[in-house]
């Protein structure tokens, strides 16, 4: 059986970015923390960009047309783009 505090064999991960919301998903956060923590996988939540935080200025950076509406889909896309920026800019060996 694999060691409970080590990443699974063959998994070379130096950072995980977790797309998440600031409020209302505490059970999900606890599960993520438990699972990644048990494997010693470093992670960071991407919390910025919840639907109620999106502004025309922040959305115009990446979106046009119908994507300029502050929807759950736009928020999710926005958070994924932020995660990509962090991944590329973070100097991670796995980027």
């Amino acid at each position: 059986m694999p060691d409970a505090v080590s990443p699974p064999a063959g998994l070379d991960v130096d950072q995980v970015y977790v797309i998440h919301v600031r409020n209302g998903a505490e059970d999900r956060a606890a599960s993520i923390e438990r699972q990644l923590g048990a494997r010693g996988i470093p992670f960071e939540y991407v919390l910025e960009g919840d639907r109620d935080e999106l502004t025309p200025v922040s959305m115009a950076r990446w979106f046009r047309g119908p994507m300029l509406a502050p929807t759950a889909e736009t928020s999710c896309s926005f958070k994924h783009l932020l995660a990509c920026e962090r991944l590329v800019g973070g100097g991670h060996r796995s980027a």
Side-chain angles (χ1 to χ4, degrees), residues 13-87:
V13 176
D14 57 340
Q15 183 70 20
V16 169
Y17 292 97
V18 179
I19 308 301
H20 197 60
V21 295
R22 288 190 194 276
N23 298 303
E26 290 79 12
D27 289 346
R28 179 177 184 268
S31 177
I32 289 165
E33 292 165 14
R34 186 173 50 255
Q35 291 178 55
L36 294 178
R39 290 165 179 81
I41 299 173
F43 68 95
E44 175 183 325
Y45 287 113
V46 178
L47 300 173
E48 304 85 7
D50 281 353
R51 181 174 39 186
D52 61 343
E53 298 173 352
L54 294 174
T55 66
V57 172
S58 64
M59 290 186 297
R61 180 173 177 203
W62 287 304
F63 304 127
R64 302 289 179 269
M67 287 294 289
L68 284 171
T71 64
E73 293 82 6
T74 303
S75 171
C76 184
S77 297
F78 188 89
K79 289 172 182 260
H80 276 83
L81 290 164
L82 292 176
C84 286
E85 279 189 332
R86 291 179 189 176
L87 177 67

